[in-house]
Amino acid sequence: MTDRDAEETDERGYGPGPWWADLGTWGAVGLIAFGILSAAWVFLRLPGTPENLATGYYQAAKVLAIGLVLAGSALVGRRRTGAR
């Protein structure tokens, strides 16, 4: 079998990206809002809150951090394209 016989699914040879990679600016805003609401849910100890509160805060912080990074990246990307 030669190299030309092998079928490639992606030109770069990488697998699919993370689930949050294509959310965009409004997706980042949604993640930020969801992270804040999740933290408030844990703080108020509403139904579905884990027994260990640190676990709930950790999960909410992960979602919030991903949203903040995406929003920051979108803002920096807009600033760079506007400066050119």
Side-chain angles (χ1 to χ4, degrees), residues 12 14-24 31 66 70:
R12 299 174 299 175
Y14 300 116
W19 60 268
W20 45 264
D22 294 328
L23 289 179
L31 284 177
I66 291 172
L70 287 175

Side-chain angles (χ1 to χ4, degrees), residues 25-82:
T25 305
W26 288 111
V29 170
L31 284 177
I32 292 169
F34 185 71
I36 291 170
L37 288 173
S38 298
W41 190 279
V42 172
F43 179 75
L44 296 173
R45 294 185 178 138
L46 296 173
T49 302
E51 299 241 353
N52 186 2
L53 294 179
T55 303
Y57 286 125
Y58 175 70
Q59 292 170 348
K62 285 194 312 185
V63 172
L64 182 62
I66 291 172
L68 288 172
V69 167
L70 287 175
S73 298
L75 291 174
V76 167
R78 286 185 182 180
R79 182 175 179 198
R80 285 187 181 169
T81 57

